[in-house]
Amino acid sequence: MAIEIERKFLVEGDAWRDFGTPVLYRQGYLCTEPERTVRVRVAGPKAFLTIKGASTGPSRPEFEYEIPLEEAGFLLDRLCLRPLIEKERREIVNAGLTWVVDEFFGENAGLIVAEIELDAPDRSFALPDWAGAEVTEDVRYYNANLVVCPYSRWAAATSDR
């Protein structure tokens, strides 16, 4: 069984834009329950179906399978929950480890996060200058939850309290 160990941070400033080649991502969710998510993703010329289990800190089970691009398009256009996640991703190497920076568009415009996948939950790593506050355990930042409550609605949700 594959285990994903991921830490997530907000991004500060624009220095990260000088690194990596942007790739457009389009993804949607067939299931967004806390115990499991099922995601369809088109990343550049490839498509994937991903199933993730519940998180325990920065870790959770993950299964990912490449699928035909045409089938992913059908799933995204007709079966996935709305809104779809639209983002541009850059892979950036910092201190020997690969980070991904996601700049979101559509209903999540204005949100920029950086993630690093690790081989152990207690693995130490250097933070890049552009990495801000850690949001690993803040469920609002899970992509599946950005479908349920997009970033553009956060201010309204806070002001309703």
Side-chain angles (χ1 to χ4, degrees):
M1 172 174 55
I3 299 291
E4 173 188 60
I5 303 168
E6 180 179 85
R7 304 269 301 269
K8 189 177 290 201
F9 298 82
L10 295 178
V11 173
E12 298 177 345
D14 286 327
W16 60 274
R17 292 185 189 277
D18 294 335
F19 305 98
T21 302
V23 175
L24 189 60
Y25 277 53
R26 185 173 175 240
Q27 65 189 45
Y29 288 83
L30 298 167
C31 176
T32 61
E33 297 174 15
E35 302 81 23
R36 73 196 59 79
T37 61
V38 180
R39 177 184 73 205
V40 177
R41 172 185 277 172
V42 172
K46 294 189 173 194
F48 303 90
L49 180 68
T50 306
I51 302 150
K52 295 185 180 190
S55 294
T56 304
S59 305
R60 64 182 164 179
E62 177 184 59
F63 305 89
E64 186 166 77
Y65 308 96
E66 190 166 351
I67 62 173
L69 198 56
E70 303 77 34
E71 291 179 17
F74 180 90
L75 293 168
L76 287 167
D77 293 339
R78 301 210 179 127
L79 298 180
C80 287
L81 302 168
R82 294 293 187 259
L84 295 179
I85 299 290
E86 304 164 285
K87 62 186 178 181
E88 194 173 76
R89 173 169 281 182
R90 294 171 190 256
E91 290 189 3
I92 301 171
V93 176
N94 182 75
L97 295 173
T98 301
W99 290 74
V100 295
V101 175
D102 289 338
E103 180 176 15
F104 292 83
F105 304 113
E107 292 194 44
N108 291 295
L111 179 61
I112 305 172
V113 297
E115 301 173 353
I116 184 169
E117 287 200 19
L118 303 168
D119 55 9
D122 57 353
R123 165 89 189 258
S124 63
F125 56 93
L127 281 176
D129 293 340
W130 38 261
E134 183 167 7
V135 294
T136 300
E137 295 190 32
D138 187 336
V139 298
R140 295 177 303 162
Y141 292 94
Y142 292 5
N143 280 245
N145 289 337
L146 292 173
V147 171
V148 177
C149 186
Y151 185 67
S152 62
R153 297 185 202 156
W154 289 11
T158 304
S159 66
D160 290 343
R161 293 182 186 162

